[in-house]
Amino acid sequence: MTYSALALLRHAFTGNKAWTPVWRFPDPKPCYDTIIVGGGGHGLATAHYLAKEHGITDVAVVEKGYLGSGNVGRNTTIIRSNYLLPGNTHFYEHSLTLWEGLERDINYNAMVSQRGVLNLCHSDSQRDAYARRGNAMRLAGVDSDLLSAAEVRAMVPGLNMDSVRFPVKGGLLQRRGGTVRHDAVAWGYARAADQRGVDLLQNTEVIGIRVEHGRVLGVETTRGFIGAKRVGLAAAGNSSRVAAMAGLRLPIESHVLQAFVSEAVKPMIDTVVTYGAGHFYVSQSDKGGLVFGGDIDGYNSYAQRGNMPVVQDVMEFAVQLFPAMSRLRYLRQWGGIMDMSMDGSPIIDRTPIEGLFLNCGWCYGGFKATPASGWCFAHIIATGQPHALAAAMRLDRFATGALLDEKGAGAQANLH
Ligand SMILES: Cc1cc2nc3c(=O)[nH]c(=O)nc-3n(C[C@H](O)[C@H](O)[C@H](O)COP(=O)(O)OP(=O)(O)OC[C@H]3O[C@@H](n4cnc5c(N)ncnc54)[C@H](O)[C@@H]3O)c2cc1C
């Protein structure tokens, strides 16, 4: 079934009785060409591009919960491509380009909203660093604008520009950045993959990976063994646990990141704003709630919930930046498990085990990467060769030292 205005009208006139389920609920086949472990954004996008770009449709996505129950349905929905390092810039720009055409590609309304992403600066040196990043972006063909304090004031009324401690000196704006409705991304990719014949196996946990003579043979699941020629791991926060089933130890730590949403209010912030003097970012959802977040919690964890010290930090930053937020009630708070890599950048690569591929290390920023990640992961699974856009995201960089350290924070996962 194709979604369109005409279809909507037709269904309205026939009592909305003819809608069909958005995807099938198949039983696992004994064997597939390719199995993707993890029905998050990255796993589902990979399945879609495997089918669409490479004609590989004998694919199963194996998900332990329901589709979108992981970070893809828990994030703060921000997309952007405002990176400094070439190894990142072109990859994330490709992602943004795919976001721009996504809804047409998958015939699904993902509410892609290019409302801009504004990084605030609070000192001259920070403005210099933003100018450098903005120039690097422009040289790579990516849009960026360095705004003066007056331009920021005009763009975001309600912002506490003149805080005694951290006055706003300006900002770096990427106008093509913005937000996308996160769970619609999971649903849209799932539907598109399903329509091309991909089996989506929900409530099916991978509990083992069968490897013989250095080659992957398939996965043990809670619904039995499923054979496959190729297995791609896209388990985000659980990557270390899943890779350990094949005897691999990853340069990844798992940490909790929290997010918050307020009660719905009239339009108050029509862009995405990030604080430069603390870790805080905020946007307003189409329902009216302010959606915001901050730093990861202070220790490694697999818990999908957060701790009070970070709640306090985030609330303090919120009120520093937008004093009016102190008048709002907060509705919900939740956590997701982040796969934090040692240099803050992802891994899309083969593994030493033949037929086993790895996609992880997304840290805070994997949602915006979803389309390009799926695109490049599908490429390496289909061809055996890394995609040029993800050439800097190989696993061996941790041995060679060719790190992709955007923040320059060094080999400490929790700082990225
Ligand atoms: C609070 C929060 C805010 C964020 N904000 C942003 C943001 O604004 N912008 C941005 O770019 N990024 C953001 N991120 C990061 C982004 O959400 C993640 O990097 C990205 O979603 C990870 O990829 P994924 O969608 O494939 O992960 P997930 O949705 O977590 O998918 C992985 C899936 O693997 C499944 N799985 C795990 N183990 C097994 C197993 N053994 N068997 C079968 N299935 C298994 C899980 O159930 C899960 O569904 C945020 C994350 C959080 C938590």
Side-chain angles (χ1 to χ4, degrees):
M1 177 188 294
T2 306
Y3 291 164
S4 67
L6 222 64
L8 212 58
L9 213 63
R10 206 174 51 244
H11 284 294
F13 281 119
T14 53
N16 281 310
K17 293 204 176 101
W19 292 105
T20 52
V22 177
W23 52 74
R24 297 165 297 128
F25 295 86
D27 286 326
K29 291 195 286 188
C31 187
Y32 290 89
D33 178 291
T34 304
I35 285 177
I36 305 296
V37 180
H42 293 233
L44 294 166
T46 304
H48 169 64
Y49 293 122
L50 270 173
K52 181 170 176 251
E53 301 297 321
H54 303 279
I56 301 174
T57 54
D58 186 19
V59 176
V61 176
V62 183
E63 165 56 47
K64 71 174 175 176
Y66 57 91
L67 296 179
S69 53
N71 293 341
V72 69
R74 293 167 179 267
N75 63 67
T76 41
T77 76
I78 301 166
I79 61 163
R80 57 184 173 86
S81 63
N82 55 0
Y83 283 76
L84 172 71
L85 301 179
N88 280 326
T89 315
H90 299 289
F91 175 87
Y92 285 100
E93 179 57 14
H94 183 60
S95 215
L96 200 49
T97 310
L98 289 173
W99 283 121
E100 285 168 337
L102 182 76
E103 290 160 315
R104 195 168 286 268
D105 178 22
I106 61 176
N107 180 228
Y108 203 87
N109 180 9
M111 297 165 73
V112 177
S113 164
Q114 293 182 287
R115 59 183 71 182
V117 171
L118 174 64
N119 302 143
L120 299 175
C121 64
H122 307 268
S123 68
D124 293 344
S125 59
Q126 197 172 29
R127 188 172 43 209
D128 288 350
Y130 282 5
R132 178 171 175 241
R133 176 147 59 101
N135 286 334
M137 288 165 62
R138 284 188 167 213
L139 286 172
V142 182
D143 69 300
S144 76
D145 289 298
L146 195 63
L147 301 191
S148 66
E151 287 169 314
V152 171
R153 193 187 294 273
M155 187 175 167
V156 193
L159 189 63
N160 180 10
M161 297 284 298
D162 307 309
S163 139
V164 179
R165 204 160 163 211
F166 302 117
V168 176
K169 298 263 185 178
L172 184 65
L173 173 67
Q174 183 179 26
R175 294 185 199 274
R176 287 169 54 246
T179 60
V180 181
R181 164 89 201 202
H182 51 6
D183 32 23
V185 173
W187 301 330
Y189 271 126
R191 174 173 169 271
D194 173 86
Q195 283 183 340
R196 288 179 190 271
V198 171
D199 281 358
L200 307 172
L201 308 176
Q202 301 183 75
N203 297 315
T204 310
E205 181 168 0
V206 170
I207 49 176
I209 298 177
R210 199 178 287 180
V211 178
E212 259 178 42
H213 308 299
R215 184 162 225 312
V216 74
L217 297 181
V219 293
E220 311 282 354
T221 78
T222 44
R223 293 166 81 184
F225 175 75
I226 312 175
K229 282 194 256 171
R230 301 176 271 208
V231 174
L233 307 182
N238 282 286
S239 293
S240 302
R241 290 214 277 218
V242 174
M245 296 174 194
L248 299 176
R249 188 157 179 254
L250 302 183
I252 298 285
E253 287 180 10
S254 291
H255 290 258
V256 179
L257 178 65
Q258 302 186 55
F260 307 81
V261 66
S262 76
E263 62 184 324
V265 284
K266 292 254 166 73
M268 177 175 164
I269 303 171
D270 65 357
T271 183
V272 179
V273 181
T274 77
Y275 198 9
H279 200 156
F280 174 79
Y281 43 90
V282 60
S283 66
Q284 189 164 17
S285 82
D286 293 334
K287 278 193 289 187
L290 296 188
V291 180
F292 55 96
D295 231 330
I296 50 177
D297 282 10
Y299 51 87
N300 303 21
S301 172
Y302 282 106
Q304 289 197 116
R305 58 178 182 275
N307 291 282
M308 286 307 280
V310 168
V311 177
Q312 186 173 347
D313 266 14
V314 171
M315 296 301 168
E316 280 175 4
F317 289 145
V319 174
Q320 273 172 35
L321 209 54
F322 289 96
M325 282 180 73
S326 66
R327 307 276 299 275
L328 293 180
R329 278 169 297 193
Y330 297 99
L331 289 190
R332 288 190 307 280
Q333 161 272 358
W334 62 91
I337 313 165
M338 315 305 319
D339 35 333
M340 307 295 294
S341 67
M342 293 299 145
D343 61 357
S345 295
I347 300 162
I348 301 179
D349 207 353
R350 298 182 287 252
T351 70
I353 296 165
E354 218 187 312
L356 185 66
F357 299 85
L358 186 61
N359 176 319
C360 65
W362 294 101
C363 302
Y364 290 20
F367 179 65
K368 71 178 81 66
T370 305
S373 165
W375 184 275
C376 294
F377 201 38
H379 177 93
I380 194 169
I381 291 173
T383 65
Q385 298 305 318
H387 195 287
L389 286 169
M393 298 171 179
R394 309 284 306 276
L395 194 51
D396 67 359
R397 71 179 187 271
F398 298 101
T400 62
L403 299 178
L404 194 53
D405 186 351
E406 182 80 21
K407 269 196 184 170
Q412 202 173 323
N414 63 315
L415 295 182
H416 287 286

